[in-house]
Structures are given as structure tokens and as C-alpha cells.
Amino acid sequence: MKNVLLLSLLTTALRFSAHAQTAPDLTDSTANYVVLKNATIIDAVSDTGKKGSILIKDEKIETVDYNNTLSSPKGATTYDFEGKYIIPGLIDAHVHITHGTLKEAQAHLNTALKKGITGVRDMGGDGRMLTLLQKNMKIGEDIGPDVFFSTIIAGPEFFEQDPRPQQVAKGAIAGEVSWLRAITDESDLRQIVAEAKGIGATAIKVYLNVDKDLFKQVSDEAKNQGLKVWSHAVVPPTKAIDITNGGSDVMSHAGHLVQYEFVKGDIRGRHSFESREEVKAYRKKLSDKKWDENTKEVKELFTAMKNNNSILDATLFIYTFGLDPKVEDNVDSTSYHLGMKAVKTAYQYQVKIGAGSDEMISEDGTINLHKELELLTIAGLSNIDALRAATIVNAEGLGEEKNMGTIEAQKLANLVILNSNPLEDISNTQDIKYVFKRGKVIE
Ligand SMILES: [Zn+2]
């Protein structure tokens, strides 16, 4: 008993001294200090906002103070944000930014940053451009969100039959380069993953024509080398249940996610059909399958996704085709309704939901992640969970949860200052006063 008491005293003492050591050192004259005072801070850790102040030192948050005890360092730039709201910088978990020129990509990313997007997850593009953008955005040579990306691997049929990969392999051959690699059972997966890592990829995206066993092998090798595994929710011929059990960290597109679980045996990808009509008929049959949250297949799928910690990147926005989702009559799409239902059910099963637009910017310059957040709340997420989808959950999908996604000490100072409260109306994420990225205010 005595020992236990001693031990507890000792731990307390140690904790106090550890605390003293981590108290902010505000005397560094070479550092750049910024203080954001009097705002309501929605840190994405707590469910609500709290009045407080944030001290930024260079790129990072030094302290978040909710007790009014913060003393400003000498020479700090101070902003009084009375009446404003601060949320973590938003991350769009599903973009394709390199389908045009480099200049276009830079301009689009710049617009996105000004609209609150401080990080993007590119799901497949020109690896050469992505490597450059990643470096430039990180060091401030270009002004835009931090860029994270995957390379794409798929069965050889995909690269032979689909024109899209060649658009992002100009000057080379899609399927034979590090960012677009065709694989078979004979491929040297260790080499392929190492090459992806070499160009700065965060993940391997496994696309089409990869069976269950090969998916698992790729996934194991990627994780072995410290990369994430991203994929669509279904990767024909492989179903969602085998994708999550195969180790996918983020699974995209809620639309037909559940429907494919009712197919016996392998599922068919778009390239296995002779005509568009055949594809339509196949999908129609799939869509007609009725289910609810207690259906066996549904229960198995979402329980597995929760247990495997696979994130659902819903991309509801792509099912609205630019229509206003707030006007119910505007949307008449089977995929939209199925996607909504899948998200609602996944949320009930406590599957983590991420926020990705699959179209970062529209032609008129609209940044679509904000629409995705509205859609997630229509599907049933609380406003704070919709915010988490675009912040901490997406940070986890990137493996960046230690650096991004919440407002806490030692995370990057990626912050959006809002004029109105997003917990009252999620559309208020668009009511932006300022954006800070890596400690710098974006003009
Ligand atoms: Zn996509």
C-alpha cells in the first residue's frame, strides 16, 4: 500500500516537472509569433466551441489557451478575433489536380487555399507534377494547400482500355511509369512500392482489375514500407468487404458501396462489358436490391470497416451533378440516394466518414468541399462530425494526424477564421475572414 502511494506521488512529481519543461519558451527572438485572441475555438477535439486564444510560433501552434492566462511574447503580431470562430484548416480528401497544365493546377490550388483548404489528397494524376507541387506548396514557393498523393496501380487491362491514365502520363507510357503501374501476380511489388515512395507518394491507390489476394499482397507491401493504401470502395472484381479486410485505409465513393455486397462471386468492372446499355442494366439490377441497417451483408460490411479502421470517403458531391442538394426535388439520382443511405448507415455503425469532393474546383471557381460538408449533414452527420470529416478524419487518412486536423499545441498552424458559427449552420465554413497556413496569413 505504502509503495503504491509513493509511486503515485512520484508520478505526480514527474508529471509536474515534465509540465514545467514543456511550458512555452517565448524568448526566442528569431521566431515569428502570432497571437489570435478572443475567438471561439472549435478545435475538433471537443464537441463544442470554447472562447480562447492561440499562440503560433513559426509554422506551429505553440499553445491553445482557454483560461485567459496567455501572455504575448515581445514583438508578436496580434489579431483580435472577438465574435469570430476558428476551425482547423480543411482537407479535401479527393481531388485530381493535374489533368490540366501546371499553371492551372497552381491557380486552382491557390483558390482552394483562400477558401479554407489547407491540404488535399490527390487520388491519381501526373506523378511528376504532383512531386513538384508537393514540394512547392510545402516550402511556400507556391501558395496553396499541402499536397499529398497516391500512385495508381491496376491490372494491365485498365491501362489498355481506359484513355484517362494516358492524359497524366504524357511523354511516357501509362502502366509503365512509377505513378501509373500495371501489375500482375508476377510483378515485383517491393520495387513498385519503393518507386512510389521515391517520388513522394503518401499511398498506393489500388484501382481496377486487382483480385482479393493481389490486393492484400499490395496492401501488405505498402504498409511494410510505411505507405498508406487508398482505393475505391469496390475494386472490381473485388468487393468492399474484401477491400476493407485487405487493408484499405480510405475507401472512396459511397454510391454503390453496399449494393455490390449482394453479388454472388466476383463483381464486374466497367471494362468487362460490351456496351453502355449492358453496364446500365447491370447497375440497375444492383440498385434494385433493398436493404436496411440490419441486413446481414450490411452489418458485416460496416462492422468490418469500423474494426479495420477503414475511412469512408463518401464523395456525395459527385452524385449531385452540381445541383443544389438542399432542394430535394433537384436531385433524382439513384447513386445519390444510395450513397446518402450508405453514409447514414455507416455513421450509425461508427465507421469514420471523410470528406472529399472528387472535383476540388468547378469552372466558376466554386470550391466544392463546402458542398460536400452540407451533404454529409443532410446524410445525418452532426455539424461537428462533418467538420471532423474534413479535418481530423482526413488527416488520419493521410497519416498526418499528428500534424494536422485539430487545433492543439504542436500541430501545424493551419486555421480558418470564420465570421459565423459552423456548428449552427455548416454552410458557414464558406463565411471566411482569414486563412492561416503553416502560421502565415494568406492574403
Ligand atoms: Zn476520383
Side-chain angles (χ1 to χ4, degrees):
M1 198 60 192
K2 220 176 187 177
N3 283 343
V4 174
L5 184 67
L6 254 179
L7 191 65
S8 112
L9 277 173
L10 193 63
T11 340
T12 315
L14 276 174
R15 211 179 290 141
F16 268 113
S17 71
H19 216 234
Q21 273 167 18
T22 54
D25 169 20
L26 307 179
T27 56
D28 184 349
S29 61
T30 62
N32 202 9
Y33 291 107
V34 178
V35 178
L36 315 181
K37 280 196 329 193
N38 299 328
T40 300
I41 301 169
I42 301 168
D43 61 11
V45 179
S46 145
D47 285 342
T48 55
K50 282 173 288 179
K51 252 312 227 358
S53 297
I54 298 171
L55 171 64
I56 298 169
K57 181 184 176 188
D58 297 325
E59 287 199 331
K60 287 184 176 174
I61 296 167
E62 179 77 20
T63 323
V64 186
D65 171 45
Y66 293 109
N67 306 313
N68 221 352
T69 54
L70 186 74
S71 53
S72 279
K74 227 170 83 189
T77 311
T78 302
Y79 294 81
D80 190 339
F81 284 145
E82 181 71 44
K84 308 288 178 213
Y85 301 82
I86 307 183
I87 59 171
L90 303 171
I91 300 168
D92 188 334
H94 203 127
V95 306
H96 299 275
I97 50 178
T98 64
H99 284 261
T101 64
L102 177 62
K103 280 208 172 77
E104 283 165 341
Q106 288 162 326
H108 290 164
L109 288 167
N110 188 265
T111 305
L113 179 60
K114 287 174 179 159
K115 297 286 167 68
I117 314 294
T118 58
V120 296
R121 185 176 78 119
D122 193 286
M123 287 293 283
D126 189 326
R128 299 159 297 188
M129 221 196 272
L130 289 163
T131 303
L132 179 68
L133 288 167
Q134 180 182 65
K135 188 259 300 179
N136 282 359
M137 297 298 164
K138 190 168 183 182
I139 65 175
E141 198 164 324
D142 281 331
I143 309 299
D146 282 342
V147 172
F148 301 86
F149 64 94
S150 63
T151 62
I152 293 183
I153 69 157
E157 304 88 337
F158 168 64
F159 296 102
E160 286 154 19
Q161 294 161 342
D162 198 312
R164 292 172 302 166
Q166 195 52 45
Q167 286 172 14
V168 286
K170 283 181 189 138
I173 299 172
E176 298 179 11
V177 287
S178 55
W179 64 98
L180 297 159
R181 180 71 78 185
I183 61 160
T184 64
D185 288 334
E186 267 86 65
S187 298
D188 182 351
L189 297 180
R190 197 164 158 229
Q191 177 71 15
I192 289 170
V193 172
E195 285 179 22
K197 197 171 174 176
I199 63 166
T202 297
I204 304 288
K205 179 182 179 183
V206 189
Y207 201 53
L208 281 176
N209 308 110
V210 174
D211 69 21
K212 184 178 153 180
D213 294 334
L214 190 53
F215 189 98
K216 179 83 169 75
Q217 285 170 38
V218 173
S219 169
D220 288 349
E221 184 55 43
K223 288 180 185 184
N224 219 0
Q225 295 193 40
L227 294 191
K228 291 273 181 190
V229 178
W230 301 337
S231 66
H232 280 189
V234 293
V235 180
T238 310
K239 292 178 197 176
I241 185 88
D242 296 318
I243 296 296
T244 179
N245 289 336
S248 182
D249 295 298
V250 186
M251 296 163 62
S252 295
H253 307 314
H256 277 69
L257 157 74
V258 173
Q259 305 311 117
Y260 281 102
E261 289 304 299
F262 301 108
V263 176
K264 301 263 175 282
D266 284 352
I267 57 178
R268 295 180 67 181
R270 69 168 103 178
H271 302 298
S272 71
F273 297 94
E274 295 292 317
S275 66
R276 263 171 187 244
E277 286 65 43
E278 261 190 53
V279 182
K280 261 191 164 169
Y282 183 74
R283 289 206 130 201
K284 168 97 180 55
K285 225 176 108 197
L286 276 178
S287 307
D288 288 346
K289 184 74 203 174
K290 299 281 179 283
W291 55 270
D292 63 32
E293 72 272 20
N294 298 314
T295 307
K296 180 174 153 278
E297 287 86 349
V298 175
K299 204 172 183 176
E300 278 172 9
L301 173 61
F302 289 133
T303 306
M305 284 181 73
K306 181 182 166 21
N307 292 342
N308 296 329
N309 207 22
S310 294
I311 294 166
L312 175 59
D313 165 35
T315 69
L316 292 168
F317 172 73
I318 54 164
Y319 306 115
T320 65
F321 305 107
L323 298 169
D324 184 354
K326 282 184 170 167
V327 184
E328 176 75 10
D329 288 350
N330 255 341
V331 185
D332 179 27
S333 146
T334 310
S335 301
Y336 172 79
H337 290 291
L338 288 173
M340 278 285 174
K341 191 174 162 189
V343 171
K344 187 180 183 166
T345 312
Y347 187 54
Q348 286 168 357
Y349 275 90
Q350 295 175 302
V351 172
K352 284 181 188 157
I353 315 282
S357 64
D358 204 4
E359 187 181 301
M360 183 181 78
I361 184 166
S362 293
E363 260 167 40
D364 66 358
T366 307
I367 295 299
N368 295 319
L369 184 68
H370 299 286
K371 286 273 178 303
E372 183 67 17
L373 295 185
E374 290 173 359
L375 288 161
L376 288 173
T377 62
I378 294 173
L381 270 69
S382 64
N383 288 3
I384 185 68
D385 283 338
L387 266 186
R388 285 181 180 133
T391 56
I392 187 61
V393 175
N394 281 352
E396 273 180 45
L398 299 169
E400 290 289 322
E401 65 273 17
K402 289 203 173 73
N403 303 319
M404 299 175 179
T406 60
I407 302 177
E408 292 178 280
Q410 293 318 308
K411 291 212 176 180
L412 287 167
N414 294 343
L415 304 163
V416 186
I417 319 305
L418 302 172
N419 294 310
S420 46
N421 189 353
L423 298 184
E424 271 165 26
D425 182 346
I426 197 67
S427 311
N428 290 337
T429 56
Q430 296 166 79
D431 190 8
I432 294 172
K433 169 90 177 161
Y434 286 113
V435 176
F436 287 80
K437 190 203 159 200
R438 291 179 174 263
K440 286 205 178 79
V441 67
I442 304 303
E443 312 281 359

